[in-house]
Amino acid sequence: MHRTETRHVSVVAHRDKVRALLAPLRTDERVERLPLIDALGRGLAADIMAPLDLPPFANSQMDGFAIRSGDVPDAGAELRVVAPVPAGAAPAELAAGTAAPIMTGAMMPAGADAVVPIEQAVPDSFPAPGEPATVRLPATAAGTYVRGAGSDIRCGDLALRSGTFLGPGQLGLLAALGYADVHVRPRLRVLLVTTGDEVVEPGSPLGPGKIFDSNGTLLASSMAQAGLEVTRAGISTDRPEELAGLLRRHAPAVDLIVTTGGVSKGAYEVVRQAMTGHDVEFTAVAMQPGGPQGIGRFDGVAVLGFPGNPVSCLVSFEMFLRPVLTELFGAPAPRPAVRARLAGPLTSPAAKHQVRRGTLAPDGTVRLEGGDGSHLVHALARSNALVHIPEGTAALAAGDEVEVWIL
């Protein structure tokens, strides 16, 4: 039998429940090994230690002349030019009193400890065949324009921590360290079910009392963007036995079931009714929108029941599922959180954590979009941020600071 929680629980407490529900899915048995390019957007499954120094050898930061800094006094000196050092070559040791033309990225010759940019040389070019093989250079301190071996990362240091989101920068580091593939966490398989006799698929005829299903597209795209493998089961009617049968057919092939709608306390709450006999709890979270929530297991498969209003279901995803996916599996990357100043005043129910839609401007102010209604999809589409008004706050003035998550 499903359970009903009568008191309001905090956002943090419910997120903790979601984390506990999904934590068993993080197992080493499901780790995958993928080529780097296929690992984009995944979470790293194990710590990566650097197998070599980066750079692996001291090299030149500029096109110029490699020198022994001690050969050039404060007044400068004329040095004999020796064989150039192209990138990819292993140069001979640099003799005292000489300068070697060197390309950007080329290995520093043994004995050389500085590079003089070609623009500072007289003449300000490399000597051509047949020209006098000398160059006048200014005094240059040791280490100037030299990239030291291991100056980026030392062999044996931690390169990337387990759980790191693998974007282009992280994959580039792995490639620079010589990795061709990497162990990553799996993509969770999610069954997404929208419910309601009043809901029809976009593109279908819209009869009296009917609305188009925006939740399916809204959540499916959010989940795909978050790296989940989403199965859409279409729209279930308000008949509990039909919904239960649909879930039973799909449950063996997925890791998580997410439903929208049917989790409140009304007479036709189909998700509540379909969960009879299963270990699912229905609770009221101290959050607006998105207060009614369901959580538990159906036939042993993790279930999250989100409310049916479009903004409510998206806020539920962003507040509960997305952060837990980031924490447990390294993907998706967390939403950037910044502080912003309100462009205008607002009021909020003091007993709830309110999440409003807003537009963050370049000057660091955030303007609320639409009201606090959970059906305002147009206002959501105009927004680029979620604005957080924490529990215990009843009103804020223009100019007050708030936490903003950038979408």
Side-chain angles (χ1 to χ4, degrees), residues 148-163:
S151 56
D152 189 2
I153 187 171
R154 292 285 185 186
C155 179
D157 285 352
L158 178 66
L160 294 173
R161 193 174 300 281
S162 177

Side-chain angles (χ1 to χ4, degrees), residues 19-293:
R19 183 185 302 107
L21 178 72
L22 299 185
L25 296 173
R26 182 179 170 174
T27 63
D28 290 340
E29 288 77 12
R30 298 185 58 191
V31 167
E32 300 176 74
R33 186 168 185 160
L34 296 178
L36 292 188
I37 197 63
D38 295 333
L40 180 65
R42 304 291 283 271
L44 188 62
D47 289 350
I48 297 287
M49 312 306 289
L52 47 79
D53 286 342
L54 280 184
F57 50 84
N59 67 89
S60 176
Q61 189 178 337
M62 304 284 285
D63 286 349
F65 291 89
I67 64 168
R68 295 172 178 261
S69 58
D71 288 347
V72 184
D74 291 344
E78 189 165 297
L79 303 177
R80 180 169 58 87
V81 177
V82 295
V85 184
E93 182 175 358
L94 186 69
T98 65
I102 192 167
M103 310 298 120
T104 301
M107 179 184 286
M108 290 290 290
D113 61 1
V115 173
V116 181
I118 194 169
E119 296 83 0
Q120 298 178 17
V122 181
D124 61 350
S125 62
F126 297 139
E131 290 184 358
T134 61
V135 64
R136 185 165 187 82
L137 301 174
T140 303
T144 300
Y145 295 120
V146 175
R147 300 166 176 154
S151 56
D152 189 2
I153 187 171
R154 292 285 185 186
C155 179
D157 285 352
L158 178 66
L160 294 173
R161 193 174 300 281
S162 177
T164 297
F165 175 81
L166 295 175
Q170 293 74 28
L171 295 174
L173 171 61
L174 292 174
L177 291 171
Y179 288 93
D181 46 45
V182 64
H183 288 96
V184 297
R185 294 288 174 189
R187 295 186 188 275
L188 293 191
R189 302 163 298 171
V190 180
L191 174 67
L192 175 59
V193 184
T194 55
T195 66
D197 285 340
E198 78 282 12
V199 183
V200 299
E201 293 283 2
S204 303
L206 193 65
K210 303 294 185 181
I211 60 172
F212 289 124
D213 174 31
S214 60
N215 289 354
T217 298
L218 189 61
L219 277 182
S221 56
S222 296
M223 291 175 174
Q225 192 179 57
L228 303 177
E229 290 184 8
V230 184
T231 297
R232 291 282 301 278
I235 301 168
S236 176
T237 69
D238 283 332
R239 290 186 288 277
E241 66 279 4
E242 179 180 313
L243 175 57
L246 183 153
L247 298 180
R248 198 166 287 116
R249 288 195 301 274
H250 287 277
V254 298
D255 304 303
L256 172 66
I257 296 168
V258 173
T259 64
T260 71
V263 295
S264 297
K265 295 182 179 180
Y268 301 101
E269 302 303 327
V270 63
V271 174
R272 280 177 175 263
Q273 296 169 340
M275 294 300 162
T276 300
H278 297 271
D279 185 21
V280 179
E281 173 186 341
F282 293 91
T283 189
V285 178
M287 182 176 77
Q288 184 189 58
Q293 297 286 328

